Amino acid sequence: AQAARRAAANGATAPIPHRCVPAMIADALAAAPGRPVISGSGAPLTAGALSARARAIADALAAAGVDAGDRVALSVARGPDQAAAMLGIQAAGAAYLPLDRGSPASRLATILADARPRAVLVDAGAEAARQAAGGLPLIALEDIGPGAAPLDPASMPGPDAAAYVIYTSGSTGTPKGVVVGHRALANMVAVTNQRFGIGPDDRALAVTALHHDLSVYDLFGPLAA
């Protein structure tokens, strides 16, 4: 009986979205720019402010030489800037590589040497990431303004591009990078929101650390809805 229920749940099919999730989010943010979308310790961040901040980060990455298909390492504390950074990296056509804030610089250096990102995006508290960066370009979020122009869905990457890279714990040996594409991300977000009926009036509590894959839905799922 359990096998039959699992087969029924997993056997349902639906078309996979042919757009990347950041493009869907850009459209959703543009539709209601004054709507609060992220709540943290301070005032809620509106859709328009998030879109502009993410666009400013994407423009700063492009100015630093980040191009489509690159990887950008990310060490930013949880909050609105973390969300904007993830969106900004993808809006620049790159895949984000989250770094564990609690890991020593030596472990982060091993991951960076293997992943070969084009740059490392950090905030003021990312000391370990700064130490591990070596000769990689460091881009500080505090040096990037809030931005004015919104995200442009037309410039977003296609479904075959890499969306993010997350490294395994390394408990069975050397940490390994797992690359997830935009088509898989869109499929996960679409089916999760549909199955659980997630809509624009719902709220989600983001509890997963950025270097764990469950964190991906924390941001992209609710914003896409």
Side-chain angles (χ1 to χ4, degrees), residues 150-175:
L151 289 167
D152 179 12
S155 65
M156 299 292 183
D160 294 322
Y164 60 91
V165 183
I166 289 184
Y167 271 73
T168 63
S169 64
S171 58
T172 59
T174 304

Side-chain angles (χ1 to χ4, degrees), residues 41-98:
S41 57
L45 187 71
T46 65
L50 174 59
S51 185
R53 179 67 167 151
R55 173 68 179 271
I57 293 171
D59 291 344
L61 292 173
V66 173
D67 204 353
D70 287 337
R71 291 169 293 279
V72 175
L74 174 64
S75 180
V76 176
R78 184 187 303 280
D81 256 355
Q82 187 185 77
M86 294 166 69
L87 279 174
I89 291 171
Q90 292 191 342
Y96 73 86
L97 165 64

Side-chain angles (χ1 to χ4, degrees), residues 199-217:
D201 295 323
D202 290 314
R203 296 184 181 186
L205 182 64
V207 297
T208 308
L210 193 61
H211 61 285
H212 289 292
D213 61 349
L214 287 176
S215 68
V216 179
Y217 183 80

Side-chain angles (χ1 to χ4, degrees), residues 132-196:
L136 291 170
L138 275 173
I139 302 174
L141 274 179
E142 56 265 31
D143 295 335
I144 303 174
L151 289 167
D152 179 12
S155 65
M156 299 292 183
D160 294 322
Y164 60 91
V165 183
I166 289 184
Y167 271 73
T168 63
S169 64
S171 58
T172 59
T174 304
K176 300 173 181 63
V178 179
V179 183
V180 177
H182 277 286
R183 181 177 283 107
L185 174 59
N187 185 47
M188 181 274 288
V189 166
V191 72
T192 304
N193 284 347
Q194 180 183 38
R195 181 167 295 184
F196 294 99

